[in-house]
Every structure is written in C-alpha cells, then in structure tokens.
Amino acid sequence: MTNQAVIAIGIFLVTYAFIISEKLHRTIVAMSGGILMVLFGIVSQEQAIHHIDFNTLGLLIGMMILVAVTAQTGVFKYVAIRAAKAAKGKPIRILVYLSIITAVASAFLDNVTTVLLIVPVTFSIARQLQLNPIPFLITEIIASNAGGTATLIGDPPNIMIGSAVPELDFMAFMINLAPVVFVIMAVTVLCFVFIYRKQLVTSPELSAKIMQMNERDEITDTLLLKKSLTVMALTIIGFMLHGAFHLESATIALTGAFLLLLLTGEHYLEDAISKVEWNTIFFFIGLFVLVSGLVETGVIAKLAGEAINLTGGDPLHTSLLILWLSAIASAFVDNIPFVATMIPMIKEMGALGITNLEPLWWSLALGACLGGNGTLIGASANVIVAGLASKEGYNISFMGFLKVAFPLMLLSIVISHLYVYLRYFIW
C-alpha cells in the first residue's frame, strides 16, 4: 500500500469519526475532509471536481425549490387534516393514515422534506386529541424512510445510485423497489397498530374536535396551488420518461423548479432559494471529494477485491452481503457517506468479474435506505424529527427509539433478503 493510500484512509477515517460523533456539523467535517484530500495531493483540484456528482446535486436542488414553493400553498396541511377527519378522529386510524401519506409523499418528494411538512401538523392533531405525539412521530420516521426507498428521488442514497448508474432510471427503481416497499409498509403499519394500540386512546369529545377542523382554511393561495400541482405532476411524469428522452434526472428536476418560478414570478425566487438546504448540498460535495481520494489511490479497488474473495464472486452471496452490511452500517452511521463509499466499490466488482450488477445495486438501495430506520442517527429524517420534537418539549431518546425501530428494521431486511433471493435468483 502506497503512502498516499495510507494518508487517504487516515483522512477518510478521521472525517468519518467526526461525522458519527456529531461534535461538529457534518457539512463542515465533510468539506474539511475533502479539502484535505486536495491539500495533501491525494487528488488534484481537477480530479476532485470530476468526482463531484452534479446530477445528484441538481436533482436535490430542483426538488427542494419545487417543494418550497408548493409548501406555501398549505396543501400539505390540508391533506393531513383531511386524513385525520377521514379517520373520524380515531387515533389508531390517524396513525395508519398519516403513515401512508408520509410514505407516499416521501416516494415522490423526498423523506426529509416530507417529515418537515407532516410533523408540525401531527403536533397540532395530537394536541387536539390530548395524546403524546411520539408514537405518531416514530411511525412517520419509519414510513418516511421506507417510502423513500421506493423511487429514484425518495431518499438521497437512491439519488446517488441512480446518478452513478444511468441505466437505473425512475421506472427501474419503481418496478424493482416499490413492490417490496409495499409489503414492508403493510407489515410495519400492522406492527405499529399492535405496539401503540393501548397508548392511542382518546375520548369521543376530543375526536369530535378533530371533525370540526376546517382543512380548507389551510389553502392560502388557490392559483399558486394549481400552478404548483401542475408543474409537480409534469416533473414526476418527466422522471418516469427521462430514460426515453435521454435526459438526466437533474435536468428534469431543475426544469420543473424554474418553470414553476417562471410561472409564479420572481417574488418567490429569494424565498425558494433560501429554503434550499445548502448545508446538505455542501455535505454531498465534501463526501464526493473525500471518496475520490480512496478511488484514485486504489483503496476502493482493493476492498472490492476482498469482498469478492469473501463471497467467491457469487452474485447471490455478494448481493446478500451488501444488503445486510448496508443495513447494519446505515443504522449506526449516516447512510449517505456509506453509500458514497459503496458505489465505486460495486463498480469495481463489475470490473473484477461480476457481470450482472443490478441485484447488487438494489441490495445497496434497500439496505442503506431501510437500515436508516434502525437508530435515531441512521438517517437525516430521524434526526430532523427528533429535533422538531425537542423544540415542542418531547424527547425521543436514542434507546427508546432503538427498542421499537431496530427490530422493525431487521424485519424489513429479512423481507428484503427473501425478495432479492426470490426475484433475482429464483424466478
């Protein structure tokens, strides 16, 4: 192993340790690690820029702008209140309906944005029912990560995989991942109904208060709503067809974002740009440069070779190894840096002799996205919901979340294990 490889591994491990410890903001840490790769001469500035995946960044920015403008219409609050009323104000039914809405919205927006929109309404509904909101919040965390697994745009790991492997387009993600996510969601929701059935009980009088809420009051701008939903629908259709038009997903997302800004006027521009999570964007940039150091020094190729030796290059064993490794790792470290490291490794496995990489990519997506449900720090959505709960005076403890979420995460990976085995190696 060369000196440069040793330095690259050192920078990577120290950066990773700081990201896990959360002593410093992860964006500062990731960018610092990436900069050190350049300063130490591990990669040149040109190589670093070459490794930054601008398709992933463009897709994230485009969707963030679209959602920021659409959120101003109040449509997300409207949907949540309608769901609570459709459930007749009954807490268990509300939990089921909100989890389904969260999962579906996470698939077509993204899971972080979805929880930011759903959680404030959840607090309002829980207050009306005089219930602890934590059961609702934990269910929404699990549903957001599960739902986000189903599509190319639902969860950052999927965005990164789709960008790295252009032939895996929006429809490929839907066809390959949505069926197993549907089964996982059905099983998970049933488990939550059983777990929380005794805690989520309220009086008929309080349920009646929910029925008196007027969801129409939440719609603040009907014209903006029509424009936003039209552009959102066109964008999602664009994702479905982008392979046929030979357009990258970032092009579709940015086209939708700036078409909406064009239709709504420049007074929405500043607010929409300010709502873009720039710290997330720079976090990605830092990670891409950080991982480029491992690629350029041959460390990734070496790791891929070791993994193939371990499984004998057998596609089934390699797929299942990636599934379980991704799930357990993503439960305890953020799944985004883990996936950033795994993508070049799987590509290298292809160069070393595994001809059909598709089951490996789906295993990585399932493991990384669903594994994020294992602990409170496993995915960005988890951390955001815990922060919002803390501001409202409710503490979602690490161990309290772990007791409920980790067994359900393992159950989802067992289902995924069976799915990968049956779909790609038996049928």
Side-chain angles (χ1 to χ4, degrees):
M1 190 178 290
T2 65
N3 288 338
Q4 283 205 319
V6 173
I7 294 168
I9 292 169
I11 293 170
F12 180 84
L13 292 176
V14 170
T15 305
Y16 222 113
F18 273 104
I19 290 172
I20 295 167
S21 71
E22 298 180 314
K23 299 287 186 188
L24 292 169
H25 196 287
R26 64 180 191 169
T27 301
I28 298 171
V29 175
M31 283 298 295
S32 299
I35 290 165
L36 284 173
M37 287 290 187
V38 178
L39 290 177
F40 276 90
I42 308 300
V43 292
S44 66
Q45 183 173 301
E46 289 73 21
Q47 286 174 319
I49 291 169
H50 173 75
H51 281 276
I52 294 170
D53 189 339
F54 290 98
N55 186 53
T56 294
L57 302 182
L59 178 51
L60 284 169
I61 291 168
M63 291 307 294
M64 286 173 183
I65 291 172
L66 263 176
V67 171
V69 177
T70 306
Q72 293 189 41
T73 66
V75 65
F76 300 108
K77 292 180 181 178
Y78 172 91
V79 170
I81 292 169
R82 274 296 294 268
K85 291 175 74 173
K88 308 293 184 189
K90 295 180 178 177
I92 282 289
R93 281 194 194 173
I94 291 173
L95 179 123
V96 172
Y97 289 3
L98 287 181
S99 67
I100 293 169
I101 289 168
T102 302
V104 173
S106 295
F108 292 101
L109 301 176
D110 71 73
N111 53 4
V112 171
T113 301
T114 299
V115 296
L116 284 169
L117 297 168
I118 292 288
V119 166
V121 191
T122 303
F123 284 124
S124 175
I125 291 169
R127 276 194 292 269
Q128 292 276 10
L129 295 171
Q130 293 181 15
L131 290 170
N132 185 340
I134 286 180
F136 294 104
L137 299 181
I138 291 177
T139 305
E140 286 164 8
I141 288 172
I142 303 296
S144 72
N145 289 321
T149 309
T151 68
L152 168 68
I153 59 172
D155 208 358
N158 285 5
I159 294 171
M160 295 164 73
I161 293 166
S163 183
V165 193
E167 58 267 28
L168 303 184
D169 60 12
F170 189 91
M171 290 308 296
F173 272 84
M174 283 278 287
I175 292 165
N176 285 277
L177 298 183
V180 68
V181 167
F182 180 84
V183 173
I184 288 166
M185 271 301 299
V187 172
T188 302
V189 169
L190 285 173
C191 290
F192 275 122
V193 169
F194 178 78
I195 292 166
Y196 292 125
R197 69 194 188 284
K198 292 180 181 176
Q199 293 181 42
L200 298 179
V201 179
T202 192
S203 67
E205 293 78 18
L206 292 172
S207 291
K209 280 188 177 181
I210 292 288
M211 302 305 292
Q212 292 165 14
M213 295 173 77
N214 187 358
E215 65 275 16
R216 293 177 185 272
D217 292 342
E218 301 298 336
I219 301 297
T220 54
D221 191 329
T222 308
L223 181 60
L224 179 62
L225 176 64
K226 289 176 181 176
K227 291 176 180 177
S228 298
L229 293 182
T230 301
V231 173
M232 189 75 79
L234 288 171
T235 304
I236 291 169
I237 291 168
F239 284 131
M240 293 178 177
L241 300 175
H242 79 101
F245 292 118
H246 305 291
L247 293 171
E248 295 285 1
S249 49
T251 304
I252 303 293
L254 290 168
T255 300
F258 284 93
L259 173 61
L260 184 54
L261 289 172
L262 194 66
L263 293 172
T264 54
E266 64 184 54
H267 52 285
Y268 285 101
L269 175 62
E270 264 189 53
D271 183 69
I273 295 294
S274 70
K275 293 283 174 61
V276 172
E277 295 168 42
W278 292 108
N279 59 339
T280 301
I281 300 302
F282 278 100
F283 177 60
F284 271 102
I285 291 171
L287 280 178
F288 289 135
V289 179
L290 187 68
V291 174
S292 75
L294 299 183
V295 174
E296 294 293 337
T297 54
V299 174
I300 293 291
K302 178 72 174 170
L303 288 172
E306 291 298 325
I308 286 178
N309 289 337
L310 186 65
T311 61
D314 178 69
L316 170 60
H317 293 151
T318 308
S319 296
L320 297 178
L321 173 68
I322 288 170
L323 174 68
W324 283 97
L325 176 65
S326 302
I328 301 302
S330 295
F332 294 97
V333 301
D334 196 301
N335 54 18
I336 295 169
F338 179 80
V339 170
T341 312
M342 287 297 293
I343 285 171
M345 192 185 298
I346 292 176
K347 285 185 173 181
E348 192 63 36
M349 288 176 181
L352 293 173
I354 297 180
T355 52
N356 182 17
L357 291 179
E358 203 168 304
L360 279 64
W361 292 120
W362 302 133
S363 295
L364 177 62
L366 288 167
C369 296
L370 296 171
N373 275 330
T375 70
L376 203 54
I377 60 168
S380 301
N382 311 20
V383 178
I384 287 168
V385 173
L388 292 171
S390 181
K391 285 180 183 176
E392 293 285 333
Y394 295 95
N395 178 42
I396 301 177
S397 69
F398 185 92
M399 289 307 298
F401 183 85
L402 186 78
K403 286 174 187 174
V404 176
F406 199 80
L408 288 175
M409 182 275 285
L410 291 178
L411 178 60
S412 72
I413 299 302
V414 169
I415 294 170
S416 299
H417 180 119
L418 292 171
Y419 176 78
V420 169
Y421 174 65
L422 293 172
R423 174 154 187 177
Y424 301 109
F425 298 99
I426 297 297
W427 294 339

